[in-house]
Amino acid sequence: TMAHNPAEAQRLLDEAGWLDRDGDGVREDASGAPLQVEILFNQGNGVRKQIAEIMQAQLASVGVQVEPTMLEWGAMLGRIMDPTTREFDGVVMGWLPEFEMDESAFFHSEKIDEPLAWAGMQDDELDRLLEAIRDAPTPEDADPLWVAFQNRIVELQPFTYLYYQERLDGVSDRMAEIPMDARGEWAQIQEWRVSESPQTLARR
């Protein structure tokens, strides 16, 4: 993860030429254009609205003007998923992974013109890691590649992962062999068993 460091953020913005030239609290470039970022979120999602508003307040403290913008779900997807336009600065989104973990649709250069390549990422190292993960013969072989992939994502910041939502799942005490999986409750359903008597579920 990246450290929360507003002073370093301000230093980097200064270095990039974004300065508060008129004293209004918002940074401007050399031509006087303000540093404004529009953050989209979908209508009816109060949590994402709050996230956008928190981002607005936090970035204001370093001189970045954020405009939270609520859109109907379909309209928002149209803005972010059309490869010919990509008319947005940032978006608050969330999702659960599919049964097969593969981030190529988001980050591989070959997918740059496809709908999920929101960030427009093209990076040789990410490409190499994604291909190596795909070709790894076992999950154990893929583990260090996933670590390297995640570190590269943190370094490049095409996405900023804000949090992983905690969930509470309940099952019958007659169920056994229920492994927990980040992909969701159903990813390993083939391993579930129903027993004759109550079971003690082990944490994994």
Side-chain angles (χ1 to χ4, degrees), residues 37-41 52 55 59 66-70 89-92:
V37 179
E38 182 184 40
I39 301 293
L40 307 180
F41 62 92
M55 293 172 67
L59 288 171
V66 170
E67 300 178 6
T69 302
M70 179 176 67
D89 298 322
V91 59
V92 182

Side-chain angles (χ1 to χ4, degrees), residues 104 108 123-135 142 144-153:
S104 297
H108 198 290
D123 179 73
D124 291 342
E125 180 65 6
L126 279 183
D127 291 349
R128 184 190 69 78
L129 289 167
L130 286 166
E131 292 163 12
I133 289 167
R134 180 195 61 203
D135 296 337
L145 298 169
W146 277 115
V147 171
F149 167 79
Q150 291 167 348
N151 287 333
R152 186 63 172 162
I153 290 294

Side-chain angles (χ1 to χ4, degrees), residues 26-204:
V26 177
R27 294 172 180 269
E28 295 87 21
D29 65 12
S31 70
L35 181 49
Q36 296 177 327
V37 179
E38 182 184 40
I39 301 293
L40 307 180
F41 62 92
N42 60 290
Q43 185 178 25
N45 193 307
V47 171
R48 293 179 190 170
K49 179 176 185 291
Q50 291 176 344
I51 289 170
E53 290 171 346
I54 290 169
M55 293 172 67
Q56 181 183 41
Q58 290 182 339
L59 288 171
S61 70
V62 295
V64 181
Q65 184 176 357
V66 170
E67 300 178 6
T69 302
M70 179 176 67
L71 292 176
E72 182 272 330
W73 177 251
M76 188 183 77
L77 291 182
R79 291 271 298 272
I80 69 175
M81 295 182 75
D82 184 347
T84 63
T85 56
R86 304 275 194 222
E87 292 184 5
F88 73 104
D89 298 322
V91 59
V92 182
M93 287 286 284
W95 71 90
L96 286 175
E98 300 292 342
F99 289 161
E100 180 181 0
M101 294 291 289
D102 185 358
E103 301 289 86
S104 297
F106 294 104
F107 302 123
H108 198 290
S109 297
E110 291 180 351
K111 307 290 186 177
I112 191 68
D113 292 325
E114 296 186 12
L116 293 180
W118 308 328
M121 180 54 53
Q122 291 184 289
D123 179 73
D124 291 342
E125 180 65 6
L126 279 183
D127 291 349
R128 184 190 69 78
L129 289 167
L130 286 166
E131 292 163 12
I133 289 167
R134 180 195 61 203
D135 296 337
T138 69
E140 291 73 25
D141 292 317
D143 281 348
L145 298 169
W146 277 115
V147 171
F149 167 79
Q150 291 167 348
N151 287 333
R152 186 63 172 162
I153 290 294
V154 170
E155 179 182 354
L156 296 174
Q157 287 294 292
F159 288 7
T160 299
Y161 294 94
L162 300 175
Y163 66 95
Y164 186 85
Q165 186 174 5
E166 292 185 354
R167 303 195 307 271
L168 179 63
D169 292 326
V171 297
S172 167
D173 60 6
R174 290 183 57 212
M175 300 298 297
E177 301 299 327
I178 304 178
M180 295 295 102
D181 195 297
R183 295 169 294 174
E185 293 84 350
W186 310 111
Q188 299 191 46
I189 193 171
Q190 72 277 5
E191 297 184 23
W192 295 15
R193 301 289 181 268
V194 180
S195 65
E196 294 286 339
S197 57
Q199 303 290 302
T200 299
L201 297 181
R203 292 183 178 274
R204 296 194 180 184

